[in-house]
Amino acid sequence: MALAGLGSGALHALSGPDHLLSLAPLSVGRRHGAWRVGLLWGIGHGLGTLAASAVLMLVVSAVHLEGVERWAERIAALALMGMGVWGLRRRALAGSPEAATRGVVVVGLIHGLTGAAALLLILPAVVSGSMADRVLFLGGFSIGSTLAMSALTAVLASVSQSGRVPATVSTHVPRVASALSVVLGSAWMVGSL
């Protein structure tokens, strides 16, 4: 069960465009410690997913999940737009990349709490099996998504620093990713209305 959770968590972390768009501005062009950005994001995301799972286990039969999913998507859209604005503002103010990591755990937590895609992946484990199976799957999911995000940010930073990518591309990727975060978040918001 833990391995299934590990794989599901890693797949979820790497397949979400919102994850990539939120983390690219904090990773690309970073010389050191990009993996920590992904680790912090992943820890927040894992804690948020675990908290959402606990609530889901408590109220799964009493709550109309479609309404919860709609509001969760709206909150995730706002978090994505906020990360995009933060990335654009940070670049405009030429702040240090190290200072930008302060809110990463919180944004990961918001994504973990509100991410309907993650909840749909964990729903079968939450409503079936023994408590031990649930704990193993959810623990594996959180660890898998955290490790995958850490690896993703390390790869983004490494590729951008390798010399194989022109410096102008590395300079513009964070700005473009931040702008796309705002656009994607806005589209999600409109789509959830």
Side-chain angles (χ1 to χ4, degrees), residues 133-160:
D133 286 343
R134 293 175 190 165
V135 168
L136 287 171
F137 184 86
L138 293 172
F141 188 93
S142 295
I143 291 168
S145 63
T146 300
L147 293 176
M149 293 314 283
S150 187
L152 175 65
T153 54
V155 167
L156 286 172
S158 177
V159 168
S160 69

Side-chain angles (χ1 to χ4, degrees), residues 2-29:
L3 287 176
L6 194 71
S8 293
L11 179 64
H12 168 72
L14 297 175
S15 65
D18 56 325
H19 300 157
L20 178 63
L21 289 174
S22 292
L23 290 170
L26 302 174
S27 306
V28 172

